[in-house]
Amino acid sequence: RMLTMPPEEFKEMVVVPEGGECFEVPPHLLASTYNFSKFGEFCLRSQLDCVQGGNKIFDLKTRATHAIRNSFSHDDPGVDPKDRYKRHVETYRIDKQRGQFNSFERELYDMMRSAFLKYSVQLRIGRMHGAFVTYHNTAEIFGFQYIPLSTIDKLIY
């Protein structure tokens, strides 16, 4: 909900420069929400999240913080599911660039180990340039990072 909303609600929040017009999505882009790739007789489909400048396609990814992703092993099974992550949401924040915990460096390190191979395949299937990652703790967004496919490949291979 923090990254997407109905078009009508979005238009109400857009700041339009004086004398300018609100941006409308061209009709030809509305129909092209998927890219298809074929491998032999096998057809793959990839949903396209974002397009910049008409030709640079990229994926939109959300990344919960380290504490949220790893909280399952420390929680009491009797805890109400609504309260499961409350402690982590309230206490774990990304507040520095580098460091073992509470840092963007830690989040990138974890993505290299657990998500980049999957991202690499998804981006290739969709013939996308990269991924726009949003770091959050389910209640608050801490930052954004655009990671090109070439960088993902360099970090995992």
Side-chain angles (χ1 to χ4, degrees):
R1 181 76 184 132
M2 289 187 271
L3 296 175
T4 61
M5 62 185 64
E8 300 78 30
E9 189 178 336
F10 178 76
K11 284 181 182 180
E12 290 176 13
M13 299 176 75
V14 173
V15 177
V16 180
E18 196 169 314
E21 294 181 25
C22 189
F23 176 80
E24 292 290 330
V25 177
H28 70 281
L29 290 179
L30 291 174
S32 60
T33 56
Y34 297 99
N35 263 353
F36 296 89
S37 295
K38 190 173 178 185
F39 182 74
E41 295 296 314
F42 194 66
C43 185
L44 303 164
R45 179 184 79 172
S46 178
Q47 182 174 342
L48 307 178
D49 290 338
C50 304
V51 179
Q52 182 205 12
N55 62 355
K56 186 184 275 188
I57 301 168
F58 58 97
D59 209 358
L60 184 62
K61 300 287 186 190
T62 59
R63 183 73 175 173
T65 60
H66 171 77
I68 299 288
R69 291 191 313 275
N70 296 297
S71 66
F72 64 88
S73 61
H74 305 293
D75 283 336
D76 178 7
V79 171
D80 183 346
K82 290 182 273 182
D83 297 328
R84 175 172 219 111
Y85 302 110
K86 186 176 181 182
R87 175 172 44 102
H88 303 293
V89 168
E90 293 172 352
T91 61
Y92 194 93
R93 300 177 49 80
I94 299 175
D95 55 11
K96 54 189 171 226
Q97 288 292 321
R98 298 188 184 279
Q100 187 174 3
F101 297 105
N102 301 82
S103 70
F104 288 104
E105 179 183 39
R106 174 57 184 243
E107 301 305 322
L108 187 64
Y109 174 74
D110 282 353
M111 278 194 297
M112 288 187 314
R113 297 174 56 227
S114 64
F116 271 7
L117 186 59
K118 176 180 78 168
Y119 289 1
S120 175
V121 171
Q122 290 172 339
L123 295 173
R124 280 177 173 39
I125 291 170
R127 296 184 303 280
M128 295 180 234
H129 183 268
F132 186 79
V133 180
T134 303
Y135 300 99
H136 66 91
N137 68 356
T138 72
E140 184 178 1
I141 293 176
F142 297 112
F144 305 95
Q145 182 177 12
Y146 183 77
I147 309 172
L149 178 59
S150 58
T151 301
I152 292 172
D153 287 344
K154 189 188 316 182
L155 293 171
I156 60 174
Y157 295 116

